[in-house]
Amino acid sequence: MLNNRPRHILSSDQFDREFLDYLYQLVNLIRRYDKSKEGLLYLKSLLPHVRAMLYFTQPSTRTFMSFHSACNILGVSTSEIRDSATSSEKKGESIEDSLRTFSSYVDLIVMRSTEAGLCERIAALLDNTPRPVPIINAGSGPDEHPTQALLDIYTLRRSFHGNQIDGKRICMVGDLKRGRTVRSLSKLLANYRDVAITFASPEAFRIEQDLRDCLTRRGVAFTETEDFEGAIRDADAIYMTRIQDEWDTGRESAAVDHSGFCLHLEHMRRIKPDCVIMHPLPRRDEIDPLIDSDPRAKYWRQERNGMWVRVALIMILMGVDHQVMLPDKSVATS
Ligand code: NCD
């Protein structure tokens, strides 16, 4: 059983190895229920009394659908805001008042916004109200995307031979400056022994100093390079990302040539035969779609894993995880 049960999911900094190992086991158990109608009906019976608000004021396809589906799997009913222009924020209401309002109607708020630190602020605000509800950060500006990082860790572990992340070389590629998934995942990787990270990007998109400081403080070996081909050659996993040009102040991304940081079919002969290729998606030109059919391409699986990881996280927040940690033999088949 979990010793430190989180009240909210706000940042990768919250999670330790014990939690990551527990989540891995829990997701694997939950997935066994997906194998039968009885199993799925059991999952659906766990939280039919719970209502969740999906507050996504920044574009989202898979994270939104993934949370929506995770709620569905658990019987949680959902309401949603996908644009602040359709809420009273348009009438000048503060975001704090809007979210406090939502919290009056629901038991869980999943939120994505352009503002770094907003989830923490709202969680602290709601914790001081008579009706505190858990907050899940589904992406906060260029800062953090902890649930993506948790599903990335799950996918890495599940994809590596021996299901171990310790000792692996992970290469992260693309816009490492503004990509929140890279930030959150790097921090989670610090929980594993002897992991080495190579950050490969154009000079303009190198990681931020605070991430460098965090990795140094936590004793994680990392290097930064502009040599993409050299970086991917001996990697156990390659984590590709797109250029995050929505954060441009002018059109500065267009001035950076990132064509040397794209994975093409010819690279597949030069990387490890069991390398794990991941991408948080959406992709543009960073991965040639012809690579999709290579067994090393795990990004579509990663997407589906995300839904099960979010099912597990909602179960933990709502305190029903023990109901599958002790699986009912009549419904759980593997
Ligand atoms: C990522 C995000 O929104 O940060 N996508 C996702 O949530 N799966 C990555 C991106 O948009 O590039």
Side-chain angles (χ1 to χ4, degrees):
M1 278 295 122
L2 207 50
N3 286 326
N4 293 317
R5 182 166 290 272
R7 284 186 33 68
H8 306 281
I9 294 174
L10 304 173
S11 156
S12 281
D13 295 330
Q14 282 174 261
F15 303 113
D16 57 13
R17 180 71 181 257
E18 186 207 350
F19 182 87
L20 296 173
D21 288 347
Y22 179 80
L23 186 67
Y24 182 75
Q25 272 182 46
L26 178 62
V27 175
N28 286 342
L29 275 175
I30 292 169
R31 290 174 66 153
R32 305 201 308 186
Y33 288 78
D34 185 37
K35 304 232 186 293
S36 68
K37 182 178 168 187
E38 292 72 22
L40 285 165
L41 287 173
Y42 176 70
L43 291 179
K44 215 167 171 66
S45 74
L46 290 176
L47 294 170
H49 55 294
V50 168
R51 295 181 300 278
M53 168 88 201
L54 306 179
Y55 178 85
F56 276 62
T57 55
Q58 200 192 15
S60 177
T61 303
R62 70 219 86 234
T63 307
F64 178 83
M65 279 305 298
S66 173
F67 271 112
H68 192 268
S69 304
C71 286
N72 234 301
I73 286 169
L74 291 166
V76 173
S77 49
T78 55
S79 45
E80 64 189 63
I81 295 255
R82 304 246 11 209
D83 182 351
S84 56
T86 63
S87 85
S88 282
E89 282 174 69
K90 186 75 180 165
K91 299 182 196 164
E93 183 171 60
S94 69
I95 190 149
E96 284 84 356
D97 284 2
S98 287
L99 280 146
R100 182 158 183 180
T101 301
F102 302 145
S103 77
S104 313
Y105 306 124
V106 298
D107 311 296
L108 168 71
I109 298 177
V110 184
M111 56 188 289
R112 165 175 287 202
S113 85
T114 52
E115 199 183 321
L118 179 64
C119 296
E120 280 90 343
R121 218 168 75 222
I122 298 300
L125 172 86
L126 295 183
D127 279 347
N128 280 316
T129 66
R131 196 166 186 285
V133 302
I135 301 285
I136 301 181
N137 179 356
S140 49
D143 180 38
E144 278 248 26
H145 196 347
T147 65
Q148 178 72 42
L150 291 165
L151 78 90
D152 291 341
I153 287 287
Y154 176 82
T155 303
L156 284 170
R157 189 160 168 200
R158 192 142 167 124
S159 307
F160 285 142
H161 290 303
N163 303 124
Q164 282 302 334
I165 296 178
D166 294 319
K168 293 291 193 283
R169 305 178 71 90
I170 318 287
C171 177
M172 308 220 197
V173 186
D175 188 342
L176 310 177
K177 185 180 174 65
R178 303 172 294 184
R180 55 192 173 194
T181 64
V182 164
R183 288 172 62 78
S184 291
L185 176 57
S186 301
K187 292 198 236 169
L188 281 191
L189 284 170
N191 289 292
Y192 294 87
R193 279 186 303 279
D194 303 323
V195 161
I197 309 179
T198 306
F199 294 108
S201 71
E203 171 71 27
F205 298 139
R206 289 174 63 169
I207 56 168
E208 291 281 13
Q209 189 57 39
D210 69 324
L211 182 57
R212 264 181 220 122
D213 294 343
C214 166
L215 295 176
T216 307
R217 204 171 49 244
R218 299 196 58 187
V220 180
F222 69 93
T223 51
E224 296 177 62
T225 181
E226 286 182 64
D227 174 13
F228 171 70
E229 308 224 338
I232 59 175
R233 209 172 299 131
D234 62 350
D236 296 305
I238 303 172
Y239 190 89
M240 300 296 296
T241 67
R242 75 178 169 90
I243 303 304
Q244 309 278 316
D245 48 16
E246 64 268 42
W247 301 109
D248 281 2
T249 43
R251 282 186 34 83
E252 59 267 30
S253 293
V256 178
D257 178 13
H258 73 278
S259 59
F261 296 86
C262 296
L263 201 59
H264 300 296
L265 213 47
E266 64 263 25
H267 289 125
M268 300 307 284
R269 280 184 286 112
R270 284 181 245 145
I271 63 173
K272 283 191 164 179
D274 55 356
C275 182
V276 172
I277 301 171
M278 291 176 33
H279 193 309
L281 303 176
R283 78 171 148 195
R284 290 177 183 167
D285 57 353
E286 325 69 64
I287 300 183
D288 185 334
L290 289 172
I291 293 175
D292 292 9
S293 55
D294 190 295
R296 290 170 288 183
K298 303 289 187 205
Y299 30 93
W300 299 112
R301 238 179 260 187
Q302 180 186 354
E303 192 173 71
R304 182 150 171 101
N305 287 344
M307 179 180 78
W308 293 114
V309 168
R310 288 166 174 136
V311 167
L313 293 171
I314 295 171
M315 289 177 77
I316 291 172
L317 289 178
M318 293 297 146
V320 292
D321 44 313
H322 60 279
Q323 300 200 33
V324 300
M325 278 317 253
L326 299 168
D328 173 353
K329 299 277 182 310
S330 65
V331 291
T333 50
S334 56

